[in-house]
Amino acid sequence: MSKMSNDSIWGGDEGEDVKKIDERIREELIRTAEPLPESYKRRVREVLEHLPDQKKRQRRFPKVAAVIVASMLSVSAVVTAGVKLYQQRLNSMKPEEVEEFYSVSQQQQISADLYSRDLFDAEEERLTKLGERYKREGIFPKTELKCVNAEDDVKVGELCYCYDNGTFYLPDQEMNEEELLQIVDFRYKRDYSLQKMQGGSEEKVADEKEDEEGVDISSTDSGEVAAKRGRKYLEDLYGWDTEGVRREVTSDGQYYYVTLTNSEWNCDVQIEINIDSMEFSSIEIHDKKREKWKSGIKNNEKQYRKYGEEVWRMGTKLVPEEQMKQLSFGYYHGKNNENVDGVVYYYLTCIDGGGYIFNYSINMGEIYRIFRVANVEGWITMARDAEEYSFELKNVVQG
């Protein structure tokens, strides 16, 4: 494959472009003075880890990384606007409405949501997504959830909540978006009322729901759905048995972070899942005994190419094979054909230009990280733009 030109993605004078981007980022950071969510920081770390050690220490942010950071800032502004609408909705609840929610909740003997039937799998996933969009984007139901005092007041086939037994009575058919949003809205208002009546300030009560970063949500409905999806990704990609694993799920409003541990693995596995789409974002193995980076290993292209077959198989677990266009691999080589950091980078390009990057540790003998990217060519360009080392790129499979 011929070497790509930077002009295929970036135009104009490089120094001037970077200077302008850096200045816009600096001004925006000074203006907002707020920390970025963990998911954004993770993206930047992925950019930096893709570079060899010396390059990480000495080289400035490449333009790809700068544009990623700029995109993060714009997305953060959208999220902030949604959160304000969510806070306004809760803070605008009338005192009598807050008191009613609180009074009914205190009378119930079971502090958990009950349903008249099991939720369909699709309903569980949509309920989770809509719950996150409710607080981040300000998406609300058109009407309030109907509530009744006793089970005798429930109409068959009609969605409602019964105060007497704390049960959501659901229609027999799968619920639509409006009905699911009514349940989401009811939950948030109820939880808000409980916390407010127990002495929380308006801003604190509304913010506690929004700021879940680093908080264990494993026992919640959304946490259970995310953990189930994370286990499935690990099983499909690596073939590991996840029965009985310890799991922890946290969220920053953008992504679920599912951490799976097992005493027999000698490692922790973290899977990152997009909240809106519930689609795979990344997976990383944190080995407790083996180093992922190890310099001085002789490159073996025949072995790298052979392992590409396994990478292609893993790719079919993330995207339909008919959408997979090409698989390439690359590595940084120094003197005497030695691999600089002991890592081989596999690039799976899909027909839309996006795809996945697989980081293979020669020392570990396996893929330790997979992450999704919007523009594979941009990542390859960044790697080939290394100043200290030469980056060798080879094709493996043409789809």
Side-chain angles (χ1 to χ4, degrees):
M1 178 183 291
S2 60
K3 184 173 181 178
M4 300 177 190
S5 168
N6 288 344
D7 294 337
S8 62
I9 298 180
W10 312 107
D13 180 76
E14 176 176 357
E16 189 63 28
D17 287 345
V18 173
K19 183 178 179 181
K20 290 179 180 178
I21 292 174
D22 288 345
E23 184 64 23
R24 288 199 300 270
I25 293 173
R26 184 187 67 82
E27 292 175 355
E28 183 67 11
L29 286 173
I30 292 174
R31 186 181 69 81
T32 59
E34 293 180 353
L36 290 169
E38 180 61 28
S39 58
Y40 299 150
K41 300 173 188 175
R42 194 179 300 274
R43 287 293 182 276
V44 176
R45 288 199 296 269
E46 286 175 354
V47 173
L48 294 178
E49 185 170 325
H50 193 68
L51 308 176
D53 289 341
Q54 278 193 18
K55 196 174 180 185
K56 294 173 197 173
R57 292 194 300 268
Q58 298 177 359
R59 197 173 179 231
R60 67 184 179 186
F61 250 26
K63 284 184 289 185
V64 172
V67 171
I68 289 174
V69 175
S71 299
M72 292 172 183
L73 293 172
S74 63
V75 172
S76 180
V78 174
V79 173
T80 300
V83 170
K84 287 180 179 179
L85 290 174
Y86 151 78
Q87 291 172 339
Q88 289 173 3
R89 183 175 180 85
L90 297 183
N91 293 339
S92 64
M93 290 178 64
K94 297 178 180 179
E96 54 268 28
E97 187 179 5
V98 172
E99 291 175 5
E100 182 180 2
F101 270 110
Y102 180 76
S103 177
V104 170
S105 299
Q106 293 303 300
Q107 293 173 14
Q108 293 174 356
Q109 298 181 355
I110 301 176
S111 58
D113 289 331
L114 302 176
Y115 299 93
S116 60
R117 62 165 173 80
D118 291 335
L119 290 171
F120 299 122
D121 290 342
E123 286 176 327
E124 287 186 355
E125 291 191 11
R126 292 169 63 207
L127 197 61
T128 299
K129 295 177 187 176
L130 289 171
E132 298 300 337
R133 294 184 65 192
Y134 177 96
K135 66 182 180 182
R136 292 192 301 107
E137 300 176 27
I139 296 179
F140 309 125
K142 297 177 181 177
T143 58
E144 303 277 334
L145 175 69
K146 179 181 178 180
C147 296
V148 298
N149 291 319
E151 189 173 10
D152 292 341
D153 300 324
V154 174
K155 292 184 179 180
V156 178
E158 184 177 81
L159 174 65
C160 70
Y161 181 81
C162 179
Y163 287 139
D164 189 42
N165 56 19
T167 300
F168 290 98
Y169 284 86
L170 313 179
D172 292 334
Q173 72 275 12
E174 185 175 321
M175 289 180 284
N176 58 36
E177 182 172 302
E178 169 66 16
E179 291 170 324
L180 291 171
L181 273 174
Q182 288 179 14
I183 295 177
V184 170
D185 185 56
F186 178 91
R187 286 175 171 176
Y188 275 108
K189 288 183 174 180
R190 177 194 58 196
D191 293 349
Y192 172 85
S193 300
L194 285 170
Q195 295 178 56
K196 185 171 177 60
M197 291 297 288
Q198 292 169 357
S201 67
E202 291 185 348
E203 288 76 12
K204 180 180 179 182
V205 171
D207 285 343
E208 282 179 352
K209 277 286 185 177
E210 187 275 332
D211 185 18
E212 292 182 334
E213 179 178 341
V215 177
D216 189 348
I217 60 169
S218 306
S219 60
T220 66
D221 289 344
S222 58
E224 290 291 338
V225 172
K228 182 178 179 181
R229 181 63 63 92
R231 289 176 58 186
K232 184 69 163 58
Y233 280 130
L234 181 58
E235 291 170 356
D236 288 348
L237 291 167
Y238 290 87
W240 293 9
D241 182 8
T242 64
E243 189 67 30
V245 299
R246 182 182 179 277
R247 59 188 185 275
E248 178 181 282
V249 184
T250 59
S251 170
D252 62 5
Q254 301 289 312
Y255 297 90
Y256 291 121
Y257 303 106
V258 181
T259 302
L260 305 177
T261 58
N262 187 317
S263 58
E264 298 179 357
W265 291 351
N266 292 317
C267 68
D268 296 335
V269 181
Q270 186 172 67
I271 304 99
E272 183 179 309
I273 301 170
N274 184 287
I275 285 179
D276 287 337
S277 65
M278 289 301 289
E279 293 180 346
F280 175 91
S281 179
S282 71
I283 187 170
E284 183 166 3
I285 297 175
H286 301 279
D287 199 290
K288 298 177 181 178
K289 293 186 176 180
R290 299 172 297 175
E291 291 290 336
K292 63 182 68 171
W293 299 295
K294 188 174 182 180
S295 60
I297 300 175
K298 293 289 185 179
N299 283 304
N300 186 334
E301 285 195 7
K302 184 177 180 180
Q303 180 183 353
Y304 301 163
R305 194 175 298 277
K306 179 66 177 176
Y307 196 81
E309 298 174 4
E310 171 63 11
V311 175
W312 185 268
R313 182 203 66 79
M314 296 174 82
T316 62
K317 302 298 181 180
L318 298 172
V319 64
E321 191 166 12
E322 58 268 22
Q323 295 182 22
M324 296 162 57
K325 180 181 179 181
Q326 178 178 293
L327 178 66
S328 306
F329 70 86
Y331 55 89
Y332 294 96
H333 62 82
K335 298 178 180 179
N336 303 319
N337 194 35
E338 292 181 349
N339 190 298
V340 172
D341 55 2
V343 176
V344 181
Y345 303 92
Y346 290 87
Y347 301 90
L348 177 58
T349 306
C350 298
I351 56 178
D352 64 355
Y356 302 84
I357 297 178
F358 300 72
N359 292 4
Y360 173 78
S361 168
I362 302 173
N363 187 50
M364 291 172 60
E366 65 183 354
I367 298 289
Y368 69 87
R369 169 184 279 180
I370 308 170
F371 58 99
R372 187 175 184 174
V373 297
N375 188 328
V376 176
E377 184 180 0
W379 285 80
I380 293 175
T381 300
M382 180 179 67
R384 303 181 87 163
D385 198 28
E387 295 174 354
E388 292 83 8
Y389 304 107
S390 176
F391 185 78
E392 195 75 24
L393 184 72
K394 306 287 183 178
N395 282 344
V396 179
V397 179
Q398 292 283 148

